[in-house]
Amino acid sequence: MTRSAIISGGGIGGLATAVALGQRGWDVTVYERQPELRAAGSGIYIWENGLRVLESLGAYEEATEGAFRGTHFEQRDNLNGIIESAPIGADKRLLTVLRSRLLSSLKSSCDRFGVKVVTNTETIGATARGELILSNGSTVRADLAVGVDGVWSRVRQSLGLELLHEQTREGALRTMIEARPGDFAPQDQGKYIENWNGMRRFLITPVNATQIYLALTCPHDDEAARGIPIDKQLWTESFPQWAHLIDRIGGPASWGVYSVTRARQWSAGRTAIVGDAAHAQPPNLGQGGGMAMQNGLALAVALEKAQDVRDIPAALEAWEAAERPLIEHCQRWSILYGEVTYLPDEVRSRVIRSAMSDPYIAGQVFKAANSEPTGTVAPRG
């Protein structure tokens, strides 16, 4: 008998979950409130764990075609001195891609497995009986319902699962610029570079041969720095070494503070929550998207053991017990990393240099990236 699943949210985590279920023979329908599938933001980091998930979902080739693969992640101080330049091992890939390309690749995999996507349909609630309540007053039912509907998840709220939802002091302006020859000195080729000055950060992320993703972060009460249009003179004063990139800013830009969410449980009956709905984290470790995809795949694998619809609640509980420790570890260390923002420049440099040279701390920071996601196989080659 074909089992059915309904998913609220057509973002990266929602589509990854849909593909994973579709691969396993589920009849899946995704409900998205926007008129079309679209990815918020600009570029996205995908570490080894996320890349292995994409391979398992059949979305790797399309998602990563032409993607930038960095050799180092480098941090610099307010004087443009190198704090830490960490090489990225050949066996632990890190690629950066356009969010829109990643979403498109997952949609292609959805199409291959017969996943249906219904747009212009907003979810305003859910029940533990595998039901989603839609804004038009109707209710849709399936053997399984999944809320992958973001930090303001109506599924989480209506099921009474919310333990915490708070927004951090820090946020980011995100934009894309054209890449040009000579943007990076020879010694800077192949690097992701995170620059610090006071409580402002300037993160430079190439995503392909022609585009660079910029993230300009600051506290939300730094009103001049967070303004749109971006104050290029102000940011150039903070990061003069990158004036040639900042001057090129001119396309769409978005501002948003970070959210942290925690849930009492990740499921109630036959309804579950995944991604930011369950475990939103600041982007400091580059794992928000990776954790959402990883957890969606793990959910589908856990449900392989549910031979009857009555077995689904127990399978969801087992899934949470297996996956929650790693995801909450990643969330905790991402929050901790962000705290160095508020240290004086010279103290921050000492703390980062000391921390990242410590094998234990480095192991904690990269624990998610080095994990073996449920449902994946060893990387190729």
Side-chain angles (χ1 to χ4, degrees):
M1 179 184 298
T2 300
R3 294 172 292 178
S4 60
I6 47 179
I7 296 174
S8 173
I12 292 167
L15 294 191
T17 305
V19 175
L21 290 168
Q23 285 178 319
R24 289 158 178 79
W26 289 70
D27 179 5
V28 184
T29 302
V30 177
Y31 294 94
E32 167 57 39
R33 66 183 179 87
Q34 300 288 348
E36 59 184 9
L37 296 179
R38 62 184 186 211
S42 304
I44 185 170
Y45 286 73
I46 312 179
W47 290 85
E48 178 67 37
N49 58 310
L51 294 171
R52 290 178 62 176
V53 172
L54 288 176
E55 289 172 341
S56 297
L57 298 178
Y60 176 85
E61 299 295 341
E62 182 179 345
T64 62
E65 182 180 359
F68 180 81
R69 181 171 180 174
T71 61
H72 291 74
F73 194 96
E74 187 165 288
Q75 296 156 308
R76 298 185 182 181
D77 63 21
N78 58 310
L79 301 177
N80 200 34
I82 295 175
I83 302 172
E84 172 78 9
S85 189
I88 301 167
D91 60 333
K92 297 299 179 187
R93 298 165 291 173
L94 169 59
L95 275 67
T96 47
V97 304
L98 292 174
R99 284 178 178 268
S100 57
R101 187 171 189 86
L102 175 57
L103 193 71
S104 176
S105 71
L106 291 169
K107 177 58 168 62
S108 295
S109 286
C110 281
D111 293 341
R112 285 195 294 273
F113 293 102
V115 173
K116 298 175 285 296
V117 177
V118 181
T119 56
N120 271 322
T121 306
E122 182 178 9
T123 300
I124 61 171
T127 76
R129 298 185 297 276
E131 298 174 323
L132 297 178
I133 303 166
L134 307 180
S135 60
N136 63 9
S138 65
T139 298
V140 290
R141 300 175 178 83
D143 297 327
L144 170 74
V146 188
V148 201
D149 50 342
V151 296
W152 301 103
S153 171
R154 300 293 292 275
V155 174
R156 178 187 70 232
Q157 294 170 3
S158 63
L159 293 173
L161 299 178
E162 185 169 305
L163 183 63
L164 170 74
H165 178 197
E166 62 182 20
Q167 294 183 298
T168 65
R169 183 184 174 195
E170 190 178 28
L173 292 160
R174 298 177 172 92
T175 191
M176 302 290 296
I177 64 169
E178 174 193 6
R180 295 177 184 173
D183 278 341
F184 300 97
Q187 66 270 23
D188 296 337
Q189 297 288 334
K191 294 178 178 178
Y192 307 100
I193 302 176
E194 183 176 48
N195 305 269
W196 300 82
N197 190 344
M199 287 186 282
R200 295 175 183 162
R201 274 191 276 177
F202 184 66
L203 177 62
I204 305 165
T205 303
V207 296
N208 53 42
T210 62
Q211 294 172 291
I212 299 172
Y213 163 47
L214 302 179
L216 300 81
T217 77
C218 63
H220 69 80
D221 50 3
D222 188 349
E223 296 184 3
R226 75 173 200 182
I228 298 176
I230 294 172
D231 187 333
K232 293 191 283 189
Q233 180 178 345
L234 181 148
W235 282 96
T236 297
E237 290 170 357
S238 291
F239 303 99
Q241 67 274 26
W242 300 110
H244 60 293
L245 301 185
I246 296 169
D247 185 63
R248 211 174 299 160
I249 294 173
S254 63
W255 162 262
V257 294
Y258 310 141
S259 284
V260 175
T261 60
R262 295 192 184 96
R264 292 182 177 85
Q265 299 171 194
W266 286 354
S267 65
R270 292 187 283 112
T271 302
I273 52 175
V274 172
D276 286 349
H279 42 77
Q281 58 184 271
N284 295 313
L285 301 188
Q287 281 287 356
M291 288 286 94
M293 295 190 295
Q294 182 168 331
N295 209 14
L297 174 57
L299 180 149
V301 171
L303 287 167
E304 290 178 341
K305 299 178 182 179
Q307 300 302 313
D308 185 275
V309 67
R310 292 169 294 184
D311 298 329
I312 289 176
L316 292 177
E317 290 178 6
W319 155 70
E320 179 178 348
E323 304 299 326
R324 187 161 183 158
L326 176 64
I327 288 180
E328 291 199 338
H329 172 96
C330 185
Q331 183 187 60
R332 184 165 57 251
W333 280 85
S334 182
I335 294 169
L336 183 61
Y337 183 104
E339 290 303 308
V340 301
T341 299
Y342 309 107
L343 297 176
D345 286 312
E346 64 278 6
V347 176
R348 180 192 305 115
S349 296
R350 292 199 304 270
V351 168
I352 291 176
R353 192 174 291 118
S354 174
M356 296 313 295
S357 65
D358 185 292
Y360 171 79
I361 294 178
Q364 304 311 300
V365 170
F366 296 110
K367 186 173 183 178
N370 295 336
S371 67
E372 297 183 4
T374 301
T376 67
V377 296
R380 294 173 291 183

